[in-house]
Each structure stands twice: as C-alpha cells, then as structure tokens.
Amino acid sequence: MAKINQNYLELPGNYLFSEIARRIQAYKNEHPAADIIRLGIGDVTRPLVPEVISGLQRGVAEMGDARTFKGYGPEQGYQFLSEKIIEHEFRPRGVELDPDEIFISDGAKCDTGNIQEIFGLDNIVAVTDPVYPVYVDSNVMAGRAGKLGGDGRYEKIVYLPCTEANGLKPELPGTKVDLIYLCFPNNPTGMTLTKEELKPWVDYARAHQAIILYDAAYESYIQEADIPHSIYEVEGAKEVAIEFRSYSKTAGFTGTRCAFTVVPKTVLAYDADGNGHSLNRFWLRRQTTKFNGVSYPIQAGAAAIYSEAGRSQIREVIRYYMTNAALIRQGLQASGFTIYGGVNAPYIWLKTPGSLTSWQFFDKLLHEVQVVGTPGAGFGPSGEGFFRLTAFGSRENTERAMERIQKLKF
Ligand SMILES: *Cc1c(COP(=O)(O)O)cnc(C)c1O
C-alpha cells in the first residue's frame, strides 16, 4: 500500500485565491454587466522590454545554429549571467561575491520553497505574520511545522507579528530560533527595513548560529536611499544569510521564469557533532541533483537587462508601477484610510475602516464599487483587519479604482 506524505494533511486548502475567485464569480452571476477592476493580483501586467525581447531572440537564434547550439547548461547557470549579476547588483553596493556563490534558477518561489531541504527537520522556523505563504507551506510539507491550531498558527513555527503596534516591522524572536524567513520590501505589507533595522537580525543570527533566508524579490522597487537592496550590505550578513532575487517583478519575468539565489561560501550550518558545513556546497549538491538549469534563451534574455538600454527600459516600467502606487496612496489617504507601504514596494497595505474584517471589506469593495483586492487575513492571523492593493494594474484601471473608492460610504 502506497502511503502519502502525511504532512500534506496538515496543509490548509488553497483557500485565499480560490475564495476570492468564488466570491467574484458569485457577484458576476448576479451582475453579469459589472465592470470589475482587479487590484488584487501579485502579477505584473506590462510587457517585457525591447532589450529583453532582443536577448531572447538572440538566444533562440543561437539554438537553431549548429555552431552555437547548446545542450545541457551548467546547473548553476551560465557565467555570463552570474558575472553581470555581481557587476550590476552587488559590486556597486560594496558586496563582493564569486560567480559560484550565485545560483540561477527558474524562480524565487521554487528556491524559497526548496531551500529548507538542506536543513534538518529539527530546526525551529520563524516567519513574519503576515507572510508570503510559500515559506510556511514548504516547511509544513517537510514536517517542520506540526499541527495547525485553531488560531491559524502551526504549533512548531515561531510567528513574528507585524502589527500597527510595531509599525509593521517584526521584532526579534523572544525564543531561540534556527531559520528566519525575512522578505523586504515586504509582500504583502509593502514595508521595508533600513540597514540599522536589519543589523540586529544579522547580529541575532550570528549570536545564535541561525540562518536568515532573505527574500529580496522586490528590491528593484526601492526608491529611498537609506533602504538596503541586499542583506549583504549589512556587516556580517555573508556569514549567516542566503538571499533570493527574481526577475519576475524586476523585469516582468513572471511568465518567462528566471531568478537567482545567493549562497555565500562563508554561510555555515552545523552537523550533529557541531561541525560547520558550507551551505553553498549543500545547495550546489541539491541543485545539481534535482535541477538542470534555466534554458539558455531565457538566461540570454535576463542578461540583456544589464545593458545600458535594458537597465533604463526596466527602470521605466518600475516607475510606471510606482506611479500607480503613489496614485493609490494619494487616493486612499484622501478618503481617510490609514495606509502602509507603497513607497518602496508595489503593495499598499490598508487598515480596514471601522471594525470591518478583511473579508467584510473585500465584500464591501466588490459589491459597492466593483474593486477587488486581497484580504489581509489570507496572509496570516496578524493580517486580519488589513487589505492589500497592488500597483501592478494599468494606469487607467488604477485611476478608475481610486475614483470609485473615494465614493465609498461608511
Ligand atoms: C513574486 C514573489 C517572488 C517571485 O517568485 P518567482 O517564482 O521568482 O516568480 C518571490 N517572493 C515573493 C514574496 C513574491 O511576492
């Protein structure tokens, strides 16, 4: 008899987005002509920029010519891309890395989900609350989370609440933890940490021989000068942090798929005898066994981002989304909402008015003004009473949605 992985029974159903879709469909059935504006999705909408398209086309042409055809590439990614990453993403910020500390992959979702495999099952995992669900669910699947309690929290996971009381910035764990997932700029709250605010986390990890798993998927949305783009800008982080980056939100690669993870050779975790092992070697072993690399044309397309024209085209797209974010912030503030984020991130986290729950506010927006967002409670218990809007829509839809929200009555 084949036995299932019993841990999967501890996963909740994919409740959030299916429930949103169900409520939208129910509304549409009653109001077939309704013009619904969606500011809920965490997906980009602008097309790939011309430089990336040229890079992809060059890559495809090379695959069709016997002289330049490529079969299996290096599992870790082509050096032409990792060298550009170091040159443009890290060296200008004072961070020195070797190409073999960069692992090109097909997504930060896979990498943040898979990374836990190289750690023992007895590690204590800490996550912020609210949180990007991948960090929690991948640890549930592996058996590190224990049972899901009635309060929406897993018994073995340490939750770090991000609430209005702490300005939506997590506080250091009060108990000893081993693996800490941090995501800044944050999805869903849109908040960031300064270098001074990030430093105590690196110090904590060094003091406790813990590892920080730092998701910087929204790094390119940072506008303010004092916000670090990489955790390695913080002194000592190269001993304790793994960083995840992605071209998905940076360059519109959500459907194209390319990302990278940085595992410095100096990051160690410990065996049962207390001997340190380089996580770079463990991740390399994991990737070379289970992953065969990102396709050559896609890596050629990603490398094209780093040309002068590519960088300026990408910046233009990010400016477009961040103008949407500013419009959303202004619109919500004019309507009297308390809001967070949207300054260094494409997400705006708003406090639901009155004592409405996240889902009550979702229904009110849908039914009264036909605007869809994401209920904060879907990202964790501390998300209750909050609501996420994204800046990834078109300008026109963003402006129309704000006009409508200003007509809402409470
Ligand atoms: C969108 C997103 C990613 C990127 O995932 P990809 O698999 O690279 O598309 C990673 N982390 C967070 C928090 C995200 O919102």
Side-chain angles (χ1 to χ4, degrees), residues 42 105-112 132 134-135 183 185-188 215-218 244-249 253-255 257-259 347 388 392:
S105 78
D106 59 351
K109 185 185 203 176
C110 336
D111 288 353
T112 55
Y132 180 58
V134 174
Y135 317 147
C183 172
N186 190 260
N187 176 13
D215 186 343
Y218 295 94
F244 304 91
R245 296 279 192 97
S246 173
Y247 296 108
S248 284
K249 317 300 167 28
F253 271 54
T254 52
R257 312 305 304 145
C258 197
Y347 296 116
R388 190 190 76 175
F392 286 132

PDB file of all heavy atoms in Angstrom, residues 42 105-112 132 134-135 183 185-188 215-218 244-249 253-255 257-259 347 388 392, ligand 1:
ATOM      1  N   GLY A  42      -0.904  39.663  -7.548  1.00  0.00           N
ATOM      2  CA  GLY A  42       0.515  39.967  -7.352  1.00  0.00           C
ATOM      3  C   GLY A  42       1.284  39.612  -8.606  1.00  0.00           C
ATOM      4  O   GLY A  42       2.346  39.020  -8.539  1.00  0.00           O
ATOM      5  N   SER A 105      18.159  30.299 -11.267  1.00  0.00           N
ATOM      6  CA  SER A 105      17.077  29.301 -11.201  1.00  0.00           C
ATOM      7  C   SER A 105      15.863  29.794 -11.970  1.00  0.00           C
ATOM      8  O   SER A 105      15.885  30.874 -12.557  1.00  0.00           O
ATOM      9  CB  SER A 105      16.678  29.060  -9.744  1.00  0.00           C
ATOM     10  OG  SER A 105      15.853  30.132  -9.292  1.00  0.00           O
ATOM     11  N   ASP A 106      14.813  28.995 -11.950  1.00  0.00           N
ATOM     12  CA  ASP A 106      13.588  29.377 -12.660  1.00  0.00           C
ATOM     13  C   ASP A 106      12.583  30.057 -11.740  1.00  0.00           C
ATOM     14  O   ASP A 106      11.425  30.225 -12.101  1.00  0.00           O
ATOM     15  CB  ASP A 106      12.962  28.162 -13.362  1.00  0.00           C
ATOM     16  CG  ASP A 106      12.625  27.046 -12.392  1.00  0.00           C
ATOM     17  OD1 ASP A 106      13.017  27.136 -11.210  1.00  0.00           O
ATOM     18  OD2 ASP A 106      11.973  26.072 -12.808  1.00  0.00           O
ATOM     19  N   GLY A 107      12.988  30.479 -10.555  1.00  0.00           N
ATOM     20  CA  GLY A 107      12.054  31.252  -9.738  1.00  0.00           C
ATOM     21  C   GLY A 107      12.437  31.329  -8.284  1.00  0.00           C
ATOM     22  O   GLY A 107      13.025  30.392  -7.726  1.00  0.00           O
ATOM     23  N   ALA A 108      12.106  32.437  -7.670  1.00  0.00           N
ATOM     24  CA  ALA A 108      12.341  32.581  -6.238  1.00  0.00           C
ATOM     25  C   ALA A 108      11.306  31.798  -5.436  1.00  0.00           C
ATOM     26  O   ALA A 108      11.540  31.456  -4.273  1.00  0.00           O
ATOM     27  CB  ALA A 108      12.315  34.060  -5.844  1.00  0.00           C
ATOM     28  N   LYS A 109      10.162  31.497  -6.056  1.00  0.00           N
ATOM     29  CA  LYS A 109       9.188  30.669  -5.348  1.00  0.00           C
ATOM     30  C   LYS A 109       9.771  29.277  -5.135  1.00  0.00           C
ATOM     31  O   LYS A 109       9.744  28.747  -4.028  1.00  0.00           O
ATOM     32  CB  LYS A 109       7.883  30.575  -6.135  1.00  0.00           C
ATOM     33  CG  LYS A 109       6.789  29.823  -5.418  1.00  0.00           C
ATOM     34  CD  LYS A 109       5.589  29.679  -6.306  1.00  0.00           C
ATOM     35  CE  LYS A 109       4.314  29.459  -5.523  1.00  0.00           C
ATOM     36  NZ  LYS A 109       3.131  29.424  -6.399  1.00  0.00           N
ATOM     37  N   CYS A 110      10.335  28.692  -6.222  1.00  0.00           N
ATOM     38  CA  CYS A 110      10.948  27.357  -6.077  1.00  0.00           C
ATOM     39  C   CYS A 110      12.083  27.412  -5.078  1.00  0.00           C
ATOM     40  O   CYS A 110      12.197  26.542  -4.213  1.00  0.00           O
ATOM     41  CB  CYS A 110      11.510  26.824  -7.396  1.00  0.00           C
ATOM     42  SG  CYS A 110      10.801  27.484  -8.859  1.00  0.00           S
ATOM     43  N   ASP A 111      12.947  28.415  -5.200  1.00  0.00           N
ATOM     44  CA  ASP A 111      14.123  28.462  -4.336  1.00  0.00           C
ATOM     45  C   ASP A 111      13.750  28.669  -2.868  1.00  0.00           C
ATOM     46  O   ASP A 111      14.291  27.995  -1.989  1.00  0.00           O
ATOM     47  CB  ASP A 111      15.080  29.566  -4.796  1.00  0.00           C
ATOM     48  CG  ASP A 111      15.792  29.210  -6.104  1.00  0.00           C
ATOM     49  OD1 ASP A 111      15.636  28.066  -6.570  1.00  0.00           O
ATOM     50  OD2 ASP A 111      16.492  30.074  -6.650  1.00  0.00           O
ATOM     51  N   THR A 112      12.821  29.589  -2.592  1.00  0.00           N
ATOM     52  CA  THR A 112      12.432  29.796  -1.190  1.00  0.00           C
ATOM     53  C   THR A 112      11.678  28.565  -0.671  1.00  0.00           C
ATOM     54  O   THR A 112      11.708  28.277   0.519  1.00  0.00           O
ATOM     55  CB  THR A 112      11.562  31.064  -0.992  1.00  0.00           C
ATOM     56  OG1 THR A 112      10.426  31.004  -1.859  1.00  0.00           O
ATOM     57  CG2 THR A 112      12.337  32.335  -1.259  1.00  0.00           C
ATOM     58  N   TYR A 132       4.393  35.678   3.137  1.00  0.00           N
ATOM     59  CA  TYR A 132       4.274  35.007   1.832  1.00  0.00           C
ATOM     60  C   TYR A 132       4.124  33.512   2.131  1.00  0.00           C
ATOM     61  O   TYR A 132       5.006  32.925   2.774  1.00  0.00           O
ATOM     62  CB  TYR A 132       5.558  35.312   1.048  1.00  0.00           C
ATOM     63  CG  TYR A 132       5.703  34.748  -0.333  1.00  0.00           C
ATOM     64  CD1 TYR A 132       4.783  35.030  -1.348  1.00  0.00           C
ATOM     65  CD2 TYR A 132       6.814  33.967  -0.670  1.00  0.00           C
ATOM     66  CE1 TYR A 132       4.967  34.546  -2.640  1.00  0.00           C
ATOM     67  CE2 TYR A 132       7.007  33.483  -1.959  1.00  0.00           C
ATOM     68  CZ  TYR A 132       6.078  33.771  -2.930  1.00  0.00           C
ATOM     69  OH  TYR A 132       6.272  33.302  -4.204  1.00  0.00           O
ATOM     70  N   VAL A 134       4.510  30.625   0.895  1.00  0.00           N
ATOM     71  CA  VAL A 134       5.453  29.578   0.464  1.00  0.00           C
ATOM     72  C   VAL A 134       6.386  29.149   1.599  1.00  0.00           C
ATOM     73  O   VAL A 134       6.677  27.960   1.761  1.00  0.00           O
ATOM     74  CB  VAL A 134       6.285  30.085  -0.738  1.00  0.00           C
ATOM     75  CG1 VAL A 134       7.364  29.086  -1.120  1.00  0.00           C
ATOM     76  CG2 VAL A 134       5.385  30.394  -1.924  1.00  0.00           C
ATOM     77  N   TYR A 135       6.852  30.106   2.401  1.00  0.00           N
ATOM     78  CA  TYR A 135       7.813  29.777   3.469  1.00  0.00           C
ATOM     79  C   TYR A 135       7.181  28.804   4.463  1.00  0.00           C
ATOM     80  O   TYR A 135       7.811  27.866   4.926  1.00  0.00           O
ATOM     81  CB  TYR A 135       8.282  31.020   4.239  1.00  0.00           C
ATOM     82  CG  TYR A 135       8.605  32.249   3.426  1.00  0.00           C
ATOM     83  CD1 TYR A 135       8.371  33.515   3.959  1.00  0.00           C
ATOM     84  CD2 TYR A 135       9.146  32.160   2.152  1.00  0.00           C
ATOM     85  CE1 TYR A 135       8.671  34.667   3.252  1.00  0.00           C
ATOM     86  CE2 TYR A 135       9.440  33.313   1.434  1.00  0.00           C
ATOM     87  CZ  TYR A 135       9.196  34.557   1.983  1.00  0.00           C
ATOM     88  OH  TYR A 135       9.471  35.695   1.287  1.00  0.00           O
ATOM     89  N   CYS A 183      11.364  38.983   4.359  1.00  0.00           N
ATOM     90  CA  CYS A 183      11.090  39.447   2.999  1.00  0.00           C
ATOM     91  C   CYS A 183      10.962  40.961   3.029  1.00  0.00           C
ATOM     92  O   CYS A 183      10.029  41.487   3.617  1.00  0.00           O
ATOM     93  CB  CYS A 183       9.791  38.810   2.496  1.00  0.00           C
ATOM     94  SG  CYS A 183       9.202  39.449   0.917  1.00  0.00           S
ATOM     95  N   PRO A 185      11.815  44.546   0.368  1.00  0.00           N
ATOM     96  CA  PRO A 185      10.492  45.077   0.673  1.00  0.00           C
ATOM     97  C   PRO A 185       9.461  43.945   0.775  1.00  0.00           C
ATOM     98  O   PRO A 185       9.549  42.969   0.058  1.00  0.00           O
ATOM     99  CB  PRO A 185      10.188  45.981  -0.520  1.00  0.00           C
ATOM    100  CG  PRO A 185      11.537  46.337  -1.090  1.00  0.00           C
ATOM    101  CD  PRO A 185      12.409  45.167  -0.835  1.00  0.00           C
ATOM    102  N   ASN A 186       8.509  44.124   1.684  1.00  0.00           N
ATOM    103  CA  ASN A 186       7.634  43.032   2.064  1.00  0.00           C
ATOM    104  C   ASN A 186       6.420  42.860   1.162  1.00  0.00           C
ATOM    105  O   ASN A 186       5.773  43.814   0.764  1.00  0.00           O
ATOM    106  CB  ASN A 186       7.156  43.244   3.508  1.00  0.00           C
ATOM    107  CG  ASN A 186       6.435  42.033   4.062  1.00  0.00           C
ATOM    108  OD1 ASN A 186       5.225  41.983   4.097  1.00  0.00           O
ATOM    109  ND2 ASN A 186       7.195  41.034   4.475  1.00  0.00           N
ATOM    110  N   ASN A 187       6.123  41.615   0.834  1.00  0.00           N
ATOM    111  CA  ASN A 187       4.825  41.213   0.331  1.00  0.00           C
ATOM    112  C   ASN A 187       4.184  40.468   1.485  1.00  0.00           C
ATOM    113  O   ASN A 187       4.776  39.489   1.937  1.00  0.00           O
ATOM    114  CB  ASN A 187       5.001  40.285  -0.885  1.00  0.00           C
ATOM    115  CG  ASN A 187       3.686  39.760  -1.389  1.00  0.00           C
ATOM    116  OD1 ASN A 187       2.626  40.233  -1.015  1.00  0.00           O
ATOM    117  ND2 ASN A 187       3.750  38.755  -2.255  1.00  0.00           N
ATOM    118  N   PRO A 188       3.063  40.883   2.028  1.00  0.00           N
ATOM    119  CA  PRO A 188       2.079  41.804   1.471  1.00  0.00           C
ATOM    120  C   PRO A 188       2.101  43.248   2.003  1.00  0.00           C
ATOM    121  O   PRO A 188       1.350  44.057   1.471  1.00  0.00           O
ATOM    122  CB  PRO A 188       0.764  41.143   1.932  1.00  0.00           C
ATOM    123  CG  PRO A 188       1.088  40.626   3.302  1.00  0.00           C
ATOM    124  CD  PRO A 188       2.519  40.147   3.187  1.00  0.00           C
ATOM    125  N   ASP A 215      14.357  37.164   1.371  1.00  0.00           N
ATOM    126  CA  ASP A 215      13.678  37.263   0.074  1.00  0.00           C
ATOM    127  C   ASP A 215      13.647  38.730  -0.335  1.00  0.00           C
ATOM    128  O   ASP A 215      12.936  39.538   0.263  1.00  0.00           O
ATOM    129  CB  ASP A 215      12.262  36.686   0.210  1.00  0.00           C
ATOM    130  CG  ASP A 215      11.524  36.602  -1.117  1.00  0.00           C
ATOM    131  OD1 ASP A 215      11.944  37.264  -2.092  1.00  0.00           O
ATOM    132  OD2 ASP A 215      10.510  35.874  -1.166  1.00  0.00           O
ATOM    133  N   ALA A 216      14.441  39.058  -1.369  1.00  0.00           N
ATOM    134  CA  ALA A 216      14.529  40.448  -1.845  1.00  0.00           C
ATOM    135  C   ALA A 216      13.926  40.571  -3.245  1.00  0.00           C
ATOM    136  O   ALA A 216      14.418  41.326  -4.084  1.00  0.00           O
ATOM    137  CB  ALA A 216      15.978  40.915  -1.816  1.00  0.00           C
ATOM    138  N   ALA A 217      12.824  39.843  -3.466  1.00  0.00           N
ATOM    139  CA  ALA A 217      12.203  39.820  -4.805  1.00  0.00           C
ATOM    140  C   ALA A 217      11.764  41.210  -5.268  1.00  0.00           C
ATOM    141  O   ALA A 217      11.632  41.448  -6.467  1.00  0.00           O
ATOM    142  CB  ALA A 217      11.006  38.869  -4.810  1.00  0.00           C
ATOM    143  N   TYR A 218      11.539  42.121  -4.315  1.00  0.00           N
ATOM    144  CA  TYR A 218      11.040  43.464  -4.678  1.00  0.00           C
ATOM    145  C   TYR A 218      12.118  44.538  -4.538  1.00  0.00           C
ATOM    146  O   TYR A 218      11.807  45.724  -4.514  1.00  0.00           O
ATOM    147  CB  TYR A 218       9.812  43.804  -3.825  1.00  0.00           C
ATOM    148  CG  TYR A 218       8.661  42.875  -4.139  1.00  0.00           C
ATOM    149  CD1 TYR A 218       8.456  41.728  -3.382  1.00  0.00           C
ATOM    150  CD2 TYR A 218       7.836  43.117  -5.225  1.00  0.00           C
ATOM    151  CE1 TYR A 218       7.443  40.839  -3.705  1.00  0.00           C
ATOM    152  CE2 TYR A 218       6.820  42.234  -5.549  1.00  0.00           C
ATOM    153  CZ  TYR A 218       6.626  41.096  -4.781  1.00  0.00           C
ATOM    154  OH  TYR A 218       5.633  40.229  -5.113  1.00  0.00           O
ATOM    155  N   PHE A 244      17.461  35.704  -1.827  1.00  0.00           N
ATOM    156  CA  PHE A 244      16.703  35.298  -3.007  1.00  0.00           C
ATOM    157  C   PHE A 244      16.339  36.536  -3.824  1.00  0.00           C
ATOM    158  O   PHE A 244      15.806  37.506  -3.269  1.00  0.00           O
ATOM    159  CB  PHE A 244      15.422  34.562  -2.589  1.00  0.00           C
ATOM    160  CG  PHE A 244      15.699  33.382  -1.702  1.00  0.00           C
ATOM    161  CD1 PHE A 244      15.713  33.521  -0.313  1.00  0.00           C
ATOM    162  CD2 PHE A 244      15.978  32.141  -2.243  1.00  0.00           C
ATOM    163  CE1 PHE A 244      15.989  32.443   0.514  1.00  0.00           C
ATOM    164  CE2 PHE A 244      16.259  31.055  -1.427  1.00  0.00           C
ATOM    165  CZ  PHE A 244      16.265  31.205  -0.040  1.00  0.00           C
ATOM    166  N   ARG A 245      16.613  36.470  -5.114  1.00  0.00           N
ATOM    167  CA  ARG A 245      16.238  37.544  -6.027  1.00  0.00           C
ATOM    168  C   ARG A 245      15.448  36.932  -7.177  1.00  0.00           C
ATOM    169  O   ARG A 245      15.542  35.734  -7.427  1.00  0.00           O
ATOM    170  CB  ARG A 245      17.490  38.229  -6.599  1.00  0.00           C
ATOM    171  CG  ARG A 245      18.368  38.938  -5.586  1.00  0.00           C
ATOM    172  CD  ARG A 245      17.812  40.305  -5.241  1.00  0.00           C
ATOM    173  NE  ARG A 245      18.788  41.084  -4.501  1.00  0.00           N
ATOM    174  CZ  ARG A 245      19.601  41.999  -5.062  1.00  0.00           C
ATOM    175  NH1 ARG A 245      19.542  42.260  -6.361  1.00  0.00           N
ATOM    176  NH2 ARG A 245      20.471  42.662  -4.321  1.00  0.00           N
ATOM    177  N   SER A 246      14.752  37.788  -7.907  1.00  0.00           N
ATOM    178  CA  SER A 246      13.956  37.271  -9.020  1.00  0.00           C
ATOM    179  C   SER A 246      13.804  38.337 -10.084  1.00  0.00           C
ATOM    180  O   SER A 246      13.733  39.518  -9.774  1.00  0.00           O
ATOM    181  CB  SER A 246      12.574  36.855  -8.508  1.00  0.00           C
ATOM    182  OG  SER A 246      11.744  36.513  -9.595  1.00  0.00           O
ATOM    183  N   TYR A 247      13.777  37.910 -11.357  1.00  0.00           N
ATOM    184  CA  TYR A 247      13.480  38.852 -12.436  1.00  0.00           C
ATOM    185  C   TYR A 247      11.971  39.009 -12.639  1.00  0.00           C
ATOM    186  O   TYR A 247      11.543  39.768 -13.496  1.00  0.00           O
ATOM    187  CB  TYR A 247      14.159  38.393 -13.734  1.00  0.00           C
ATOM    188  CG  TYR A 247      15.664  38.402 -13.626  1.00  0.00           C
ATOM    189  CD1 TYR A 247      16.392  37.222 -13.555  1.00  0.00           C
ATOM    190  CD2 TYR A 247      16.351  39.609 -13.561  1.00  0.00           C
ATOM    191  CE1 TYR A 247      17.768  37.239 -13.421  1.00  0.00           C
ATOM    192  CE2 TYR A 247      17.726  39.641 -13.425  1.00  0.00           C
ATOM    193  CZ  TYR A 247      18.430  38.455 -13.353  1.00  0.00           C
ATOM    194  OH  TYR A 247      19.798  38.480 -13.209  1.00  0.00           O
ATOM    195  N   SER A 248      11.178  38.285 -11.840  1.00  0.00           N
ATOM    196  CA  SER A 248       9.720  38.308 -12.043  1.00  0.00           C
ATOM    197  C   SER A 248       9.145  39.709 -11.900  1.00  0.00           C
ATOM    198  O   SER A 248       8.469  40.211 -12.797  1.00  0.00           O
ATOM    199  CB  SER A 248       9.030  37.376 -11.042  1.00  0.00           C
ATOM    200  OG  SER A 248       9.207  36.034 -11.445  1.00  0.00           O
ATOM    201  N   LYS A 249       9.383  40.347 -10.764  1.00  0.00           N
ATOM    202  CA  LYS A 249       8.815  41.671 -10.525  1.00  0.00           C
ATOM    203  C   LYS A 249       9.771  42.744 -11.032  1.00  0.00           C
ATOM    204  O   LYS A 249       9.365  43.826 -11.395  1.00  0.00           O
ATOM    205  CB  LYS A 249       8.504  41.869  -9.034  1.00  0.00           C
ATOM    206  CG  LYS A 249       7.850  40.667  -8.336  1.00  0.00           C
ATOM    207  CD  LYS A 249       6.543  40.261  -8.934  1.00  0.00           C
ATOM    208  CE  LYS A 249       6.023  38.876  -8.467  1.00  0.00           C
ATOM    209  NZ  LYS A 249       6.364  38.338  -7.208  1.00  0.00           N
ATOM    210  N   PHE A 253       9.299  39.043 -15.570  1.00  0.00           N
ATOM    211  CA  PHE A 253       9.580  37.647 -15.927  1.00  0.00           C
ATOM    212  C   PHE A 253       8.634  36.632 -15.270  1.00  0.00           C
ATOM    213  O   PHE A 253       8.962  35.459 -15.210  1.00  0.00           O
ATOM    214  CB  PHE A 253      11.023  37.291 -15.552  1.00  0.00           C
ATOM    215  CG  PHE A 253      12.029  37.573 -16.639  1.00  0.00           C
ATOM    216  CD1 PHE A 253      12.139  38.825 -17.220  1.00  0.00           C
ATOM    217  CD2 PHE A 253      12.891  36.568 -17.088  1.00  0.00           C
ATOM    218  CE1 PHE A 253      13.076  39.086 -18.215  1.00  0.00           C
ATOM    219  CE2 PHE A 253      13.835  36.810 -18.083  1.00  0.00           C
ATOM    220  CZ  PHE A 253      13.929  38.062 -18.646  1.00  0.00           C
ATOM    221  N   THR A 254       7.475  37.057 -14.777  1.00  0.00           N
ATOM    222  CA  THR A 254       6.623  36.083 -14.070  1.00  0.00           C
ATOM    223  C   THR A 254       6.237  34.913 -14.977  1.00  0.00           C
ATOM    224  O   THR A 254       6.135  33.782 -14.511  1.00  0.00           O
ATOM    225  CB  THR A 254       5.353  36.739 -13.491  1.00  0.00           C
ATOM    226  OG1 THR A 254       4.691  37.467 -14.538  1.00  0.00           O
ATOM    227  CG2 THR A 254       5.683  37.707 -12.356  1.00  0.00           C
ATOM    228  N   GLY A 255       6.046  35.188 -16.273  1.00  0.00           N
ATOM    229  CA  GLY A 255       5.715  34.107 -17.200  1.00  0.00           C
ATOM    230  C   GLY A 255       6.914  33.601 -17.979  1.00  0.00           C
ATOM    231  O   GLY A 255       6.802  32.653 -18.756  1.00  0.00           O
ATOM    232  N   ARG A 257      10.249  33.256 -16.401  1.00  0.00           N
ATOM    233  CA  ARG A 257      10.898  32.456 -15.378  1.00  0.00           C
ATOM    234  C   ARG A 257      12.416  32.563 -15.324  1.00  0.00           C
ATOM    235  O   ARG A 257      13.120  31.847 -16.046  1.00  0.00           O
ATOM    236  CB  ARG A 257      10.508  30.953 -15.481  1.00  0.00           C
ATOM    237  CG  ARG A 257       9.021  30.643 -15.615  1.00  0.00           C
ATOM    238  CD  ARG A 257       8.154  31.239 -14.519  1.00  0.00           C
ATOM    239  NE  ARG A 257       8.576  30.849 -13.205  1.00  0.00           N
ATOM    240  CZ  ARG A 257       8.494  31.661 -12.132  1.00  0.00           C
ATOM    241  NH1 ARG A 257       7.967  32.863 -12.248  1.00  0.00           N
ATOM    242  NH2 ARG A 257       8.901  31.260 -10.963  1.00  0.00           N
ATOM    243  N   CYS A 258      12.907  33.431 -14.500  1.00  0.00           N
ATOM    244  CA  CYS A 258      14.336  33.442 -14.181  1.00  0.00           C
ATOM    245  C   CYS A 258      14.546  34.185 -12.861  1.00  0.00           C
ATOM    246  O   CYS A 258      13.907  35.214 -12.613  1.00  0.00           O
ATOM    247  CB  CYS A 258      15.163  34.095 -15.287  1.00  0.00           C
ATOM    248  SG  CYS A 258      16.928  33.724 -15.192  1.00  0.00           S
ATOM    249  N   ALA A 259      15.400  33.640 -12.038  1.00  0.00           N
ATOM    250  CA  ALA A 259      15.667  34.204 -10.719  1.00  0.00           C
ATOM    251  C   ALA A 259      17.071  33.776 -10.311  1.00  0.00           C
ATOM    252  O   ALA A 259      17.737  33.066 -11.061  1.00  0.00           O
ATOM    253  CB  ALA A 259      14.642  33.681  -9.711  1.00  0.00           C
ATOM    254  N   TYR A 347       3.141  47.270  -3.232  1.00  0.00           N
ATOM    255  CA  TYR A 347       1.983  46.883  -2.419  1.00  0.00           C
ATOM    256  C   TYR A 347       1.593  47.973  -1.436  1.00  0.00           C
ATOM    257  O   TYR A 347       2.459  48.580  -0.806  1.00  0.00           O
ATOM    258  CB  TYR A 347       2.282  45.594  -1.635  1.00  0.00           C
ATOM    259  CG  TYR A 347       2.511  44.411  -2.536  1.00  0.00           C
ATOM    260  CD1 TYR A 347       3.744  43.769  -2.575  1.00  0.00           C
ATOM    261  CD2 TYR A 347       1.501  43.949  -3.379  1.00  0.00           C
ATOM    262  CE1 TYR A 347       3.957  42.698  -3.431  1.00  0.00           C
ATOM    263  CE2 TYR A 347       1.704  42.878  -4.235  1.00  0.00           C
ATOM    264  CZ  TYR A 347       2.936  42.259  -4.252  1.00  0.00           C
ATOM    265  OH  TYR A 347       3.149  41.197  -5.098  1.00  0.00           O
ATOM    266  N   ARG A 388      -4.843  44.248   1.059  1.00  0.00           N
ATOM    267  CA  ARG A 388      -3.720  44.570   0.164  1.00  0.00           C
ATOM    268  C   ARG A 388      -4.209  45.011  -1.212  1.00  0.00           C
ATOM    269  O   ARG A 388      -5.017  44.324  -1.835  1.00  0.00           O
ATOM    270  CB  ARG A 388      -2.810  43.344   0.000  1.00  0.00           C
ATOM    271  CG  ARG A 388      -1.499  43.650  -0.716  1.00  0.00           C
ATOM    272  CD  ARG A 388      -0.726  42.390  -1.094  1.00  0.00           C
ATOM    273  NE  ARG A 388      -1.327  41.734  -2.248  1.00  0.00           N
ATOM    274  CZ  ARG A 388      -0.821  40.671  -2.865  1.00  0.00           C
ATOM    275  NH1 ARG A 388       0.283  40.109  -2.401  1.00  0.00           N
ATOM    276  NH2 ARG A 388      -1.418  40.141  -3.894  1.00  0.00           N
ATOM    277  N   PHE A 392       0.226  46.877  -9.688  1.00  0.00           N
ATOM    278  CA  PHE A 392       0.576  46.192 -10.939  1.00  0.00           C
ATOM    279  C   PHE A 392      -0.480  46.335 -12.028  1.00  0.00           C
ATOM    280  O   PHE A 392      -0.339  45.759 -13.103  1.00  0.00           O
ATOM    281  CB  PHE A 392       0.830  44.702 -10.675  1.00  0.00           C
ATOM    282  CG  PHE A 392       2.133  44.411  -9.983  1.00  0.00           C
ATOM    283  CD1 PHE A 392       2.174  43.553  -8.888  1.00  0.00           C
ATOM    284  CD2 PHE A 392       3.323  44.979 -10.428  1.00  0.00           C
ATOM    285  CE1 PHE A 392       3.375  43.255  -8.255  1.00  0.00           C
ATOM    286  CE2 PHE A 392       4.527  44.695  -9.797  1.00  0.00           C
ATOM    287  CZ  PHE A 392       4.559  43.831  -8.709  1.00  0.00           C
TER     288      PHE A 392
HETATM  289  C1  LIG B   1       6.532  37.288  -6.585  1.00  0.00           C
HETATM  290  C2  LIG B   1       7.356  36.864  -5.434  1.00  0.00           C
HETATM  291  C3  LIG B   1       8.505  36.102  -5.623  1.00  0.00           C
HETATM  292  C4  LIG B   1       8.992  35.750  -7.003  1.00  0.00           C
HETATM  293  O1  LIG B   1       8.664  34.464  -7.349  1.00  0.00           O
HETATM  294  P1  LIG B   1       9.123  33.868  -8.741  1.00  0.00           P
HETATM  295  O2  LIG B   1       8.985  32.395  -8.536  1.00  0.00           O
HETATM  296  O3  LIG B   1      10.544  34.272  -8.983  1.00  0.00           O
HETATM  297  O4  LIG B   1       8.186  34.385  -9.786  1.00  0.00           O
HETATM  298  C5  LIG B   1       9.249  35.742  -4.516  1.00  0.00           C
HETATM  299  N1  LIG B   1       8.901  36.130  -3.278  1.00  0.00           N
HETATM  300  C6  LIG B   1       7.815  36.886  -3.064  1.00  0.00           C
HETATM  301  C7  LIG B   1       7.494  37.318  -1.688  1.00  0.00           C
HETATM  302  C8  LIG B   1       6.995  37.271  -4.127  1.00  0.00           C
HETATM  303  O5  LIG B   1       5.909  38.003  -3.899  1.00  0.00           O
END
